Amino acid sequence: MYKLKWLIRSMDLCKEASELAHNVIFNIILVVIIIISTIAIFLEIWIMFKTTNRILLHQNTRILIIVHQIWLILHCIARIFAHTYVLVTYWKTHADPCGYMALPWECFVTRIPITLTLFLNAASTPTVVIERAIATYFSSRYEKFGKSVAVILIIAQFFIVIGSFLSIISDIKLFESAKAVYCSTTTGKNATKVAVITGFYMTIEFISVLTFPILFFINKAILTHSFLIF
């Protein structure tokens, strides 16, 4: 009886995968994401060389912004790779509907880079705010710190992201035989962890957005005051 239920469930999943593969709208969405990601890569590179490298910024701020842009570029590349892989799989003719489903290792290879770069991108935003906060607090002797602040904050990014990343993938079994209709980093086993970690990154992003303008005006006031003195 159990085997019969499992077989019926497997057949239903295969049917879902086949329907998804032949869904024109879904395929168009994937193509659009690939196009947007490709445009974003070239746009981000252009901004990096034409704007970020030329505007008047402290070296630590510039380094952290460039790192943020690099994570964004890598994230776009990861999306292009993942969605292209899915489309190639979908566009192949499969006599067996189950052929459209993905093995765990395929999901790992295609989705994990997206998740990792997404976390790195999210973690890099607060580092810019933290750097500006440090620069504001130690304004009188901040120049003596050199690039050490940026380096330390980048290392901190890695530790935070790798920790959260390992927490998510700890439940993933690469060599299981069970296939997925569509690859996702979130599974039934790690859904709670993903929700908590995503909430954490959303919170620090929100705090960063609120804090940065305040630091900007404080820094501007300090510079204006210094200019008036000299």
Side-chain angles (χ1 to χ4, degrees):
M1 187 67 180
Y2 173 77
K3 288 185 178 180
L4 180 60
K5 288 182 178 180
W6 179 85
L7 182 61
I8 294 172
R9 176 58 179 165
S10 297
M11 291 175 64
D12 289 340
L13 291 176
C14 291
K15 184 180 178 181
E16 288 178 21
S18 179
E19 290 175 352
L20 191 63
H22 292 92
N23 188 303
V24 177
I25 295 176
F26 184 68
N27 279 260
I28 291 173
I29 290 172
L30 293 181
V31 172
V32 170
I33 293 174
I34 291 172
I35 294 171
I36 292 173
S37 297
T38 303
I39 295 171
I41 290 171
F42 289 103
L43 183 61
E44 201 64 46
I45 292 173
W46 183 83
I47 292 172
M48 189 184 298
F49 285 100
K50 294 293 183 179
T51 305
T52 310
N53 280 331
R54 295 185 179 184
I55 56 177
L56 186 61
L57 291 171
H58 190 277
Q59 60 179 350
N60 285 327
T61 309
R62 180 177 284 104
I63 290 170
L64 292 172
I65 291 175
I66 289 174
V67 168
H68 175 77
Q69 291 174 309
I70 290 172
W71 297 147
L72 183 58
I73 290 169
L74 292 176
H75 180 70
C76 291
I77 292 172
R79 284 198 174 276
I80 292 170
F81 169 72
H83 296 320
T84 301
Y85 186 89
V86 171
L87 286 173
V88 170
T89 303
Y90 284 175
W91 291 344
K92 289 180 180 178
T93 303
H94 293 285
D96 181 8
C98 295
Y100 294 106
M101 298 182 73
L103 290 165
W105 70 265
E106 290 179 296
C107 291
F108 185 88
V109 170
T110 56
R111 298 301 302 187
I112 292 306
I114 293 177
T115 303
L116 183 59
T117 52
L118 180 65
F119 285 173
L120 285 168
N121 195 45
S124 63
T125 305
T127 58
V128 178
V129 177
I130 293 171
E131 185 273 333
R132 284 294 84 202
I134 295 172
T136 303
Y137 188 79
F138 298 101
S139 57
S140 60
R141 51 195 175 94
Y142 184 66
E143 293 301 327
K144 297 179 181 179
F145 295 167
K147 298 179 181 178
S148 59
V149 174
V151 173
I152 292 171
L153 289 173
I154 291 170
I155 293 172
Q157 282 181 44
F158 275 105
F159 275 104
I160 293 171
V161 170
I162 294 301
S164 56
F165 176 72
L166 291 176
S167 174
I168 287 177
I169 67 170
S170 60
D171 296 320
I172 297 176
K173 296 180 180 179
L174 292 179
F175 303 106
E176 281 186 337
S177 58
K179 292 184 175 182
V181 174
Y182 183 75
C183 291
S184 174
T185 306
T186 307
T187 64
K189 296 179 180 179
N190 66 3
T192 303
K193 291 180 182 179
V194 172
V196 171
I197 292 171
T198 302
F200 165 73
Y201 283 115
M202 289 178 65
T203 301
I204 61 176
E205 287 283 319
F206 180 71
I207 294 172
S208 299
V209 170
L210 294 179
T211 308
F212 188 79
I214 298 172
L215 291 172
F216 175 79
F217 285 113
I218 293 174
N219 276 264
K220 187 177 180 181
I222 292 173
L223 288 173
T224 304
H225 183 262
S226 300
F227 178 77
L228 291 174
I229 291 176
F230 293 101

